[in-house]
Amino acid sequence: MTRFHTRPLLTRGPFRPPSSVTGAPRPSRAWGRRGAAVVLVAALCALPGCGIRLGQGSPASLPSASQAEADRDALARHSVLIASTAQVVVASGDQSQRASAQVVADAAAVQLEALGGVWEPWATPVPTTYPTATPVATAVATATTQDLATALGDGVSAARDAASRAPSAQDARLYASLATAWSLQLRRISPQSVEVTGRDTTQMDEPVAGELLVTYDAARYAMEEVGARGDEAARARAVIDAAAARAVVSASLALGGQDTRLSAYGRPEGQGADDDAWAQEVWMTVMDTELAGVGPAGGQATTTSIDAAVAAGSRAQSWGAVVDAPLPGYDPGA
């Protein structure tokens, strides 16, 4: 006898009219676009060489930073280390360096902000399985003034290198300003750690800019005036400083530079008969002008400007100036 296997009847649910009739919401077009985007990403990531795999806990590696970003991040990390080391020195009770260390700590906070902070690889919080950047180094609890000097010295080297290859003028000036500030802070804490060279006029192969030349000539004039009226110690220092300024002016003119010299230079207003203040002013102006003239990817020209700025700042310090600007000669809007 033949057996027939009957199929079960297909059951249907209750009739549901179209949403246009019931007023029920339809899936949004935005969701449809997002869904399509997910499908597209999934399709692309299925191709060979894609570094991201959907469904895995983390990407294979950190986003890569450009050389410019890496330089900025390295300097930001130096700022953090310098600040934390200075704070430990302040808290250590070393009264001989406490005030100087506090200046360094305060300046580092401004410098870190100007640098934009330490690089964060992810724009938003990510799972702990994601790779992350190297933790930022900070000072140990027993850090000393020598540790602070070491941190400043390392920062100077890094800032000089970054300034010489920075692709933009603004970055180059920021890094040159950092190198100068850290050099002058280091000179205050550990004078023997800083070699002050200035511009080597025997190595100059092109004239300085007209604006810079006039600041050197103003310094030369002020030093001659101050030396003529000062005591023996002031006269000796003024003679050395005047000779240094005169050498730059003469070398620049010999190379065909624009002669922007004036016949005389007035004492800065509001300083009365204070020759020391005049000397401080002219050398700080030289420092700021040297740094303002730094350009992008300047190489040796940039490091020469940094050396000259440090020398000018050091001369201002020798005349009693408190050169503690966090970013000397730097104008973020320039």
Side-chain angles (χ1 to χ4, degrees):
M1 180 178 66
T2 305
R3 295 181 181 273
F4 295 91
H5 297 279
T6 60
R7 296 179 179 177
L9 295 175
L10 294 176
T11 58
R12 298 177 182 270
F15 172 73
R16 299 184 185 277
S19 58
S20 59
V21 176
T22 63
R26 296 180 178 180
S28 70
R29 293 183 182 273
W31 183 93
R33 288 194 296 270
R34 287 197 298 270
V38 170
V39 172
L40 177 60
V41 170
L44 291 175
C45 286
L47 297 175
C50 178
I52 301 176
R53 296 289 182 267
L54 294 180
Q56 292 185 356
S58 67
S61 62
L62 286 173
S64 58
S66 66
Q67 180 65 60
E69 291 169 335
D71 282 343
R72 184 177 284 264
D73 179 59
L75 293 177
R77 288 169 178 269
H78 277 296
S79 295
V80 172
L81 179 59
I82 289 169
S84 64
T85 308
Q87 289 164 354
V88 172
V89 173
V90 169
S92 69
D94 183 355
Q95 297 299 321
S96 64
Q97 295 291 353
R98 185 173 184 177
S100 295
Q102 186 62 62
V103 169
V104 173
D106 293 342
V110 176
Q111 293 157 354
L112 181 61
E113 182 177 358
L115 289 164
V118 175
W119 179 66
E120 293 290 347
W122 309 110
T124 57
V126 295
T128 56
T129 54
Y130 275 49
T132 187
T134 304
V136 180
T138 55
V140 297
T142 56
T144 64
T145 302
Q146 183 55 51
D147 294 320
L148 178 56
T150 299
L152 285 167
D154 291 344
V156 169
S157 297
R160 285 171 61 90
D161 290 344
S164 68
R165 61 173 173 259
S168 74
Q170 185 172 5
D171 284 351
R173 290 168 187 160
L174 172 59
Y175 303 160
S177 179
L178 272 176
T180 302
W182 285 339
S183 294
L184 294 174
Q185 290 169 354
L186 178 57
R187 183 175 184 269
R188 185 184 300 118
I189 291 172
S190 179
Q192 70 278 7
S193 299
V194 180
E195 182 181 2
V196 179
T197 57
R199 284 187 175 272
D200 183 352
T201 55
T202 64
Q203 299 298 316
M204 286 177 58
D205 55 7
E206 61 181 18
V208 299
E211 182 181 1
L212 182 57
L213 184 137
V214 78
T215 64
Y216 272 104
D217 197 51
R220 185 270 313 162
Y221 179 89
M223 292 300 93
E224 291 175 352
E225 290 286 313
V226 170
R229 290 191 294 268
D231 58 22
E232 184 176 353
R235 187 179 305 111
R237 184 163 61 248
V239 167
I240 294 172
D241 286 1
R246 188 183 305 110
V248 174
V249 173
S250 299
S252 182
L253 295 176
L255 290 167
Q258 180 184 7
D259 190 350
T260 54
R261 295 175 296 175
L262 304 178
S263 58
Y265 301 88
R267 184 190 303 273
E269 295 182 4
Q271 294 185 357
D274 190 343
D275 283 345
D276 285 356
W278 189 9
Q280 296 167 21
E281 176 72 17
V282 293
W283 284 116
M284 290 179 71
T285 300
V286 170
M287 176 184 68
D288 289 344
T289 308
E290 283 279 10
L291 294 171
V294 169
Q300 182 61 46
T302 294
T303 54
T304 296
S305 293
I306 294 171
D307 289 339
V310 172
S314 298
R315 294 185 191 281
Q317 286 178 330
S318 297
W319 287 100
V322 179
V323 189
D324 57 3
L327 295 169
Y330 176 66
D331 180 2

